[in-house]
Amino acid sequence: QRDYSCKDQETKFIADVVLGFLVFGGEPSAINLENLEKIGITHIINTAADVVENKFPNKFKYLSFYQKDSKTEVIITHALVR
């Protein structure tokens, strides 16, 4: 049983766990190596790769999307399987 406590205000690791295995969080969560390893993260989906680098490419498998945080951004093109 993994410890999925992701509400650590002190280290700014704030994330939400969905379905018991999918963790949603922002940049502070994605760059906190200690907590990523603590909860057993193996893969990271970076949806803001144009502004947030993949911090630990040798530790995790990344899927990176270069999309804008904008009402006019068409995100469906990022989800299509090629």
Side-chain angles (χ1 to χ4, degrees):
Q1 181 83 9
R2 288 188 180 140
D3 176 10
Y4 288 108
S5 56
C6 299
K7 304 293 183 192
D8 186 351
Q9 295 288 343
E10 184 176 316
T11 61
K12 298 198 182 328
F13 188 81
I14 301 184
D16 293 309
V17 179
V18 179
L19 302 174
F21 69 91
L22 185 60
V23 180
F24 285 93
E27 182 180 10
S29 302
I31 63 172
N32 188 318
L33 180 59
E34 180 181 344
N35 283 328
L36 291 169
E37 291 180 329
K38 174 185 169 189
I39 64 171
I41 297 296
T42 59
H43 293 66
I44 295 174
I45 300 173
N46 182 351
T47 61
D50 59 330
V51 293
V52 179
E53 69 176 306
N54 296 337
K55 186 77 171 171
F56 309 107
N58 295 326
K59 296 239 177 219
F60 305 103
K61 181 154 179 91
Y62 284 87
L63 175 61
S64 299
F65 293 108
Y66 297 83
Q67 59 192 44
K68 304 291 182 210
D69 187 6
S70 164
K71 290 180 181 181
T72 60
E73 180 75 7
V74 180
I75 62 172
I76 190 67
T77 57
H78 300 289
L80 297 176
V81 178
R82 297 181 183 154

